[in-house]
Amino acid sequence: MSDMSKLQALIFDVDGTLADTERDGHRISFNRAFAEAGLDWEWSVELYGKLLSVTGGKERILHYIEQYLPGFTRPEPLKEFIAGLHFAKTKHYVELLAEGGIPLRPGVKRLLSEAKAAGLRLAIATTTTPANVTALLESVLPEGQSWFEVIGAGDIVPAKKPAPDIYDYVLKEMQLSPEQCIAFEDSRQGLRSSLGAHLKTIVTVNSYTAQQEFTDAALVVDQIGEPDSPFTVLSGNVGTKTYLDLELVRSLF
Ligand code: XBP
Ligand code: MG
């Protein structure tokens, strides 16, 4: 029996939390897939920010067709058309990361290492496709492949964030209760998902999510941060800390 009142595990979202993958990764890859398919669709930085309200790439493409392209003659079957586009998008994303990668956000690697050294367990809960997680870890955190004992990703659960299902799945796989874990998220949708699974949650915002509302987060900062890259606190109590370390995580738990 593990101690119910003790922090056992950290569970991380991927896109926007481990790395800023949305604007310069996923968005570019969607556009490459569209161009390759002969479509004149172009998701600008601004439009993509709006489309991010829908989680999941296939779901996002469907939403775009339904909400932004009233005159578009839908290929039949639409589901397969979207699946084809999304398959190509994943290929471009994996290639893009392999080419030069997208760096981890400040402090991510340090905090993961600290947690690992302290004997905490690590997991991932994301709506993104599993291949995208592998590609990110391979390019910027090869040791992470063995650090994360559960990688809950993509269509493994039918209901994506903001539904709590992916966090419920990870907790079940780890045989832990929410009281033993803390989640890291970057977005409102992600926070709704983790809170829905009854997890204490730390939010590290990015340019797409900074204006969102994060009621009930344990802490909202602009980054995990480093000694030479201090965080800005949006809400929550950090005492005298200038970046997120394990001691601060524990104090919020
Ligand atoms: C963020 C998402 C994902 C990615 C695209 O997921 O909403 O949909 O934008 O990934 P999270 P796919 O923050 O939970 O990691 O195209 O593979 O769905
Ligand atoms: Mg995210």
Side-chain angles (χ1 to χ4, degrees), residues 13 15-17 185-187:
D13 169 51
D15 297 307
T17 301
E185 277 287 352
D186 71 302
S187 71

Short mmCIF file of all heavy atoms in Angstrom, two decimals, residues 13 15-17 185-187, ligand 2:
data_model
loop_
_atom_site.label_atom_id
_atom_site.label_comp_id
_atom_site.label_asym_id
_atom_site.label_seq_id
_atom_site.Cartn_x
_atom_site.Cartn_y
_atom_site.Cartn_z
N ASP A 13 1.14 17.27 -19.29
CA ASP A 13 0.62 17.50 -20.63
C ASP A 13 1.84 17.68 -21.55
O ASP A 13 2.96 17.90 -21.06
CB ASP A 13 -0.22 18.79 -20.60
CG ASP A 13 -0.58 19.27 -21.98
OD1 ASP A 13 -1.08 18.47 -22.78
OD2 ASP A 13 -0.35 20.47 -22.27
N ASP A 15 1.79 19.23 -25.40
CA ASP A 15 1.79 20.42 -26.26
C ASP A 15 1.55 21.69 -25.46
O ASP A 15 0.54 21.82 -24.79
CB ASP A 15 0.74 20.27 -27.35
CG ASP A 15 1.06 19.09 -28.26
OD1 ASP A 15 2.20 19.06 -28.77
OD2 ASP A 15 0.21 18.21 -28.44
N GLY A 16 2.48 22.59 -25.53
CA GLY A 16 2.37 23.85 -24.80
C GLY A 16 2.96 23.77 -23.40
O GLY A 16 3.29 24.79 -22.81
N THR A 17 3.10 22.56 -22.86
CA THR A 17 3.60 22.40 -21.49
C THR A 17 5.06 21.94 -21.49
O THR A 17 5.92 22.62 -20.93
CB THR A 17 2.72 21.40 -20.71
OG1 THR A 17 1.38 21.88 -20.69
CG2 THR A 17 3.22 21.23 -19.28
N GLU A 185 -0.20 21.58 -16.75
CA GLU A 185 -0.96 21.92 -17.95
C GLU A 185 -0.64 23.33 -18.41
O GLU A 185 -0.07 24.12 -17.65
CB GLU A 185 -2.47 21.82 -17.65
CG GLU A 185 -3.06 20.42 -17.75
CD GLU A 185 -3.17 19.94 -19.20
OE1 GLU A 185 -2.93 20.74 -20.12
OE2 GLU A 185 -3.47 18.76 -19.41
N ASP A 186 -1.01 23.64 -19.65
CA ASP A 186 -0.77 24.99 -20.17
C ASP A 186 -2.04 25.68 -20.62
O ASP A 186 -1.99 26.87 -20.96
CB ASP A 186 0.18 24.95 -21.37
CG ASP A 186 -0.50 24.34 -22.57
OD1 ASP A 186 -0.95 23.18 -22.46
OD2 ASP A 186 -0.63 25.01 -23.61
N SER A 187 -3.15 24.96 -20.65
CA SER A 187 -4.35 25.56 -21.26
C SER A 187 -5.59 25.33 -20.42
O SER A 187 -5.63 24.46 -19.54
CB SER A 187 -4.59 24.94 -22.64
OG SER A 187 -5.03 23.60 -22.49
MG MG B 2 -1.42 21.54 -23.81
#
